Amino acid sequence: MPYHSIENELIEQSSQVFKALSDPTRIKILHLLFYKECSVNEIANQLEMNQSTISHQLKYLKQLRLVKNRKEKTTNYYSLDDDHVMNLLDQTIEHIKHTN
């Protein structure tokens, strides 16, 4: 198979996604959002974590376009931006199961 170089910008963006996925809290948030749309409070309660921590992580994930939000009155609801991120997580988990 011939080698095809990757643009530096794509390499940098890929690196940022993997960096986002390297944090256990962010993985838990993404995993929860795979199953349902949630508010910050719902995520904080479900994960038994501080609301400000969740908000900070969601802001980071949103900047990378891994999650999106919609506002209903005064509440923001978060969901996955698309299925690609969960495909990455699923493949990683399957890889770990396979190697154990």
Side-chain angles (χ1 to χ4, degrees):
M1 176 184 282
Y3 173 75
H4 296 282
S5 65
I6 302 172
E7 295 175 25
N8 285 337
E9 182 63 26
L10 282 176
I11 291 171
E12 181 60 34
Q13 289 174 351
S14 297
S15 174
Q16 291 302 312
V17 169
F18 281 108
K19 180 180 176 185
L21 297 177
S22 71
D23 182 87
T25 298
R26 291 191 286 260
I27 291 174
K28 290 175 186 177
I29 292 169
L30 292 169
H31 188 258
L32 177 59
L33 294 178
F34 174 73
Y35 292 99
K36 64 178 186 169
E37 179 183 69
C38 295
S39 68
V40 175
N41 284 338
E42 290 172 319
I43 297 168
N45 290 337
Q46 185 74 33
L47 300 182
E48 299 179 349
M49 298 182 76
N50 184 308
Q51 184 178 345
S52 65
T53 300
I54 298 300
S55 292
H56 175 76
Q57 297 299 344
L58 285 167
K59 180 180 176 185
Y60 182 78
L61 292 169
K62 188 176 175 190
Q63 288 173 338
L64 292 172
R65 294 187 309 250
L66 298 177
V67 301
K68 60 186 176 184
N69 73 303
R70 68 174 181 86
K71 193 166 188 140
E72 190 174 296
K73 297 184 182 177
T74 59
T75 305
N76 279 311
Y77 291 92
Y78 289 86
S79 60
L80 295 181
D81 195 77
D82 63 40
D83 291 336
H84 292 112
V85 68
M86 277 315 295
N87 291 338
L88 274 173
L89 277 176
D90 285 343
Q91 288 182 0
T92 302
I93 290 167
E94 287 304 312
H95 172 72
I96 292 166
K97 288 179 180 177
H98 177 73
T99 58
N100 284 337

